[in-house]
Amino acid sequence: MDTQIADPTLTTYDVERVRADFPVLSRTVHDRKGKPGKPLVYLDSAASAQKPRQVIDAMTRFLEEDYSNIHRGVHFLSQTATDQFEAVRGKVARFLNAPSERNIVFTRSATEAVNLVAHSYGRAFLSEGDEIILSVMEHHANIVPWQLLQADKGVRIKVVPVDDRGVLDLDAYADLLSDRTKLVAITHCSNVLGTVTPAKEIARLAHERGVPVLFDGSQAAVHGVVDVQDIDADFYIMTGHKLYGPTGTGVLYGKYDLLKKMPPYQGGGDMIESVSFEGTTFKLPPARFEAGTPAITEVIGLGAALDYIESLGREAIAAHEHDLLRYATEKLSQVEGVRIIGTAPGKGPILSFTVEGVHPHDVGTIVDQYGVAVRVGRHCAEPLSERFGVGPTARASFALYNTRAEADALVSSVIAVKEFFGA
Ligand SMILES: *Cc1c(COP(=O)(O)O)cnc(C)c1O
C-alpha cells in the first residue's frame, strides 16, 4: 500500500511537519460571525487520536479503487481487497513483534477484544472460585467483562493496588497470586495516571504459577515500542482509533496454543469451516474469532496508520511526547492549587489534574473557550478516582502532533480558569 514515508534524513523531530499531515489541526473552534475562533489545541488524544492525511487517503483510495467484500470472493476485486486486508494483519504482527500474523485477531475495539477473551477463554476455562487479578487502574473495558464473567461463572476478582504516585504495588500483586489464580488482566499503561506497568515482571510472576496474562495495551502501544514476545504476554490488546487509525478497529494478540483451544466468541460467516444443522465446524484462529464482515476499509486505514507511525519512528515519537509531558508537568505544577494525579516514574504522556476550588467540568468548559480540548470526568476508570479520593479530574493527553506552545496554552487557560473563579 502507498503511504508517504517521512524523510529519512530528518534528524530532529519536526513537529510542524507532522502537524501538516493532520488536516483537523489547522482548524479553529468557536468561530463567531465574522470573528475567527481560537486555534484548536487538541489534548484529548488518549480518548481518541486525530487522523493523518495518509490514513484518510488510504481509506479513500481503497473505497474508490479496490473496495469489495473479502475472503469469499473469487473475482478480482475481492482478491485484491483480501490481500490488502490480510497484509495489515502482517503489519500489526510486526508492530507488536508477534511471531506470526496467525496470532492477530481483528476486533471492533479494545473493548471487544477483552470481551472476546472473557467470553471465550473465560467461559471455557474458568469456574466457580477461580480468581482473576486486575489492577485498580483498569479502564472499564478491562473490568466489566470480568464482572459479567463473575456473575455468570462465580469467579472472584482480586485487585492490585497502586501507591500515591500511581505505581503498581508489585509486592501486593505477588501476594495475590495463588493456586486459585486463573488469569491476570492488567493495563500496560493507565489512561488516567499514565503509569506504565512492569509488564515483563507481571508476566514472569504469573507464569511461575502457570497463569496466563492479558495486557490492555490501548495506551502503551501508542506511546512506546511493544514487544509481546519479550514481555511474554499471553494476550495483548490494542485499539486502532488511539493509534491515529479509524474507529471500528481493535486488535487481540494471543499465543497461538491459547487461541487454538478457545471456542468461538460470535458465530456467523467467515469463522466456519462448514455449516449443517447436524453440526458446524469452525476455522482455525484468527478466522474463528472474526465472524461477519469486518471493518474492511477501516482495517486498511489502520495499516496506513501503522506505516505512518513507523515512518516517524516510535522511539522518536516517544521522546517527543516525553519532552512535552515533562515540560507541561513542570509548568502546570507551578500553578497554585493544581494537583497532578499520577506521578509514577517513566509514565506515559497523560496529565490528570484538579484545580482547587473548581469543578473539573468547569475547568473543561472554560479551557475550551480558549480552544483547549481536554477530557473531564472519571475517564472510564471510576475505581481509580475513588482510590485517589478526587472524583472527576481534568485530563490533558499529549500525542505525536502536540507542541510545547500547546502545553503553554493549556497552562495559561488553567490560570484563566482560576482567575474566573477567584480560586
Ligand atoms: C480507550 C481505552 C480502552 C477502550 O478502547 P476502545 O477501543 O475504545 O474500546 C481500553 N483500555 C484503555 C486503557 C483505554 O485507554
Side-chain angles (χ1 to χ4, degrees):
M1 214 179 329
D2 278 335
T3 48
Q4 279 160 256
I5 304 297
D7 182 352
T9 60
L10 214 65
T11 46
T12 51
Y13 191 84
D14 186 350
V15 70
E16 288 308 325
R17 207 161 134 179
V18 170
R19 289 177 69 78
D21 291 331
F22 290 81
V24 76
L25 296 181
S26 60
R27 69 160 290 169
T28 52
V29 294
H30 295 300
D31 303 67
R32 285 189 199 89
K33 248 184 239 147
K35 277 199 178 163
K38 307 277 186 214
L40 170 66
V41 176
Y42 189 75
L43 300 178
D44 196 21
S45 302
S48 202
Q50 298 296 345
K51 320 306 172 198
R53 171 68 67 201
Q54 287 81 343
V55 168
I56 300 164
D57 287 351
M59 292 169 71
T60 305
R61 192 204 55 76
F62 180 75
L63 286 169
E64 287 180 350
E65 296 173 16
D66 293 333
Y67 180 80
S68 162
N69 209 333
I70 55 168
H71 289 151
R72 33 205 145 180
V74 294
H75 60 78
F76 178 84
L77 269 192
S78 179
Q79 292 193 359
T80 307
T82 302
D83 289 348
Q84 291 178 53
F85 180 89
E86 288 302 323
V88 180
R89 203 186 297 280
K91 279 180 193 178
V92 172
R94 286 190 292 282
F95 190 78
L96 293 174
N97 194 34
S100 155
E101 58 250 33
R102 294 192 311 172
N103 301 93
I104 305 300
V105 179
F106 286 120
T107 64
R108 276 177 276 276
S109 61
T111 302
E112 191 185 52
V114 182
N115 276 280
L116 192 166
V117 177
H119 199 95
S120 168
Y121 186 88
R123 276 167 183 75
F125 301 112
L126 272 67
S127 45
E128 191 167 348
D130 287 347
E131 293 179 359
I132 301 173
I133 297 181
L134 311 178
S135 89
V136 71
M137 60 187 151
E138 296 314 312
H139 188 282
H140 294 164
N142 196 28
I143 299 175
V144 183
W146 307 113
Q147 289 177 327
L148 294 176
L149 186 66
Q150 182 177 40
D152 201 28
K153 303 281 285 191
V155 299
R156 286 201 292 246
I157 293 172
K158 301 277 166 177
V159 182
V160 186
V162 294
D163 70 15
D164 290 342
R165 296 167 301 166
V167 173
L168 188 87
D169 186 340
L170 210 53
D171 292 333
Y173 165 66
D175 287 344
L176 284 176
L177 281 165
S178 78
D179 295 341
R180 291 182 300 276
T181 312
K182 289 290 146 51
L183 190 73
V184 172
I186 285 185
T187 188
H188 194 187
C189 175
S190 160
N191 63 307
V192 183
L193 305 173
T195 304
V196 176
T197 56
K200 208 168 163 172
E201 187 63 7
I202 290 168
R204 193 185 64 78
L205 288 165
H207 290 161
E208 275 178 2
R209 293 179 176 272
V211 176
V213 183
L214 173 149
F215 290 105
D216 176 357
S218 303
Q219 298 292 339
V222 182
H223 301 300
V225 180
V226 172
D227 182 335
V228 290
Q229 294 189 79
D230 180 56
I231 296 168
D232 202 12
D234 299 279
F235 298 109
Y236 198 94
I237 277 153
M238 65 180 203
T239 183
H241 70 97
K242 294 183 186 177
L243 276 164
Y244 312 99
T247 50
T249 55
V251 166
L252 168 66
Y253 160 83
K255 282 187 180 164
Y256 203 69
D257 56 339
L258 285 174
L259 291 177
K260 220 170 133 182
K261 66 179 191 179
M262 284 160 56
Y265 167 48
Q266 294 175 339
D270 245 25
M271 50 77 75
I272 45 92
E273 201 104 84
S274 71
V275 180
S276 80
F277 286 103
E278 283 68 53
T280 292
T281 56
F282 307 113
K283 282 187 184 154
L284 287 171
R288 181 186 300 165
F289 301 109
E290 294 179 357
T293 300
I296 304 167
T297 310
E298 288 75 11
V299 166
I300 301 299
L302 175 63
L306 297 184
D307 286 345
Y308 183 76
I309 290 169
E310 301 283 12
S311 78
L312 298 180
R314 279 194 273 178
E315 263 131 21
I317 293 169
H320 173 74
E321 292 176 343
H322 184 73
D323 172 72
L324 287 175
L325 176 71
R326 218 191 36 219
Y327 181 82
T329 304
E330 200 180 301
K331 292 266 163 136
L332 195 61
S333 43
Q334 280 164 18
V335 180
E336 220 191 290
V338 167
R339 177 182 168 200
I340 291 171
I341 316 294
T343 52
K347 64 179 271 195
I350 291 170
L351 204 47
S352 289
F353 62 96
T354 56
V355 182
E356 200 180 344
V358 187
H359 194 278
H361 279 101
D362 295 331
V363 174
T365 308
I366 293 171
V367 301
D368 178 60
Q369 294 304 308
Y370 293 86
V372 179
V374 297
R375 185 134 299 244
V376 292
R378 294 170 203 267
H379 318 298
C380 306
E382 277 187 43
L384 188 64
S385 59
E386 225 163 84
R387 155 67 179 83
F388 282 90
V390 288
T393 61
R395 179 187 71 188
S397 49
F398 297 94
L400 52 76
Y401 40 64
N402 291 122
T403 64
R404 282 191 173 202
E406 290 182 308
D408 288 334
L410 168 70
V411 173
S412 53
S413 67
V414 169
I415 291 169
V417 170
K418 281 175 45 100
E419 280 164 2
F420 185 86
F421 281 95

